[in-house]
Amino acid sequence: MNIAEAERRTGLTRANIRFYEKEGLLTPTRGDYTEDDVQTLRKIMLLRRLRLSVPDIRAIESGAKALPEAAAGQLDVLQGDIRESEQAYAMCRAICEDRAEWNGLDVD
């Protein structure tokens, strides 16, 4: 299949597909994409949604890092993000409830 079909099948843009090729995550033969290439792109998309880095994905794909190990590391990152989001939510809620204004905003 050509790149347009790979785009259609994955929902990725041509630029994204080319980026993953450049990063060595995908190696189509002479611009022809196989079903395996499409499945690789779908796996990459899933891992990117989990916010794994391209280097981590490359390490997982090559076997240098185990997927459960990478996922465990990502759990710690996501837990930190959850705490930060909860704090931001609480601050926004307090601003709304207090009907705070710029001039009266207490940053402490």
Side-chain angles (χ1 to χ4, degrees), residues 23-69:
E23 290 294 321
L25 297 174
L26 188 68
T27 53
T29 305
R30 296 182 318 266
D32 289 329
Y33 298 84
T34 65
E35 187 61 36
D36 284 345
D37 292 327
V38 169
Q39 290 307 313
T40 295
L41 287 167
R42 288 182 175 157
K43 290 174 186 177
I44 292 167
M45 290 169 58
L46 170 63
L47 296 179
R48 293 297 288 150
R49 278 196 304 270
L50 300 176
R51 299 196 340 230
L52 286 165
S53 70
V54 170
D56 278 341
I57 295 170
R58 188 181 306 108
I60 293 163
E61 185 179 43
S62 72
K65 184 182 257 188
L67 180 55
E69 175 190 339

Side-chain angles (χ1 to χ4, degrees), residues 14-25 48 54:
R14 181 176 306 248
N16 286 136
I17 294 170
R18 295 286 189 223
F19 172 77
Y20 294 133
E21 287 177 29
K22 186 179 119 238
E23 290 294 321
L25 297 174
R48 293 297 288 150
V54 170

Side-chain angles (χ1 to χ4, degrees), residues 91-106:
M91 284 187 259
C92 285
R93 186 174 199 91
I95 288 169
C96 289
E97 288 173 356
D98 295 346
R99 302 186 60 77
E101 297 291 334
W102 174 260
N103 290 334
L105 186 60
D106 181 3

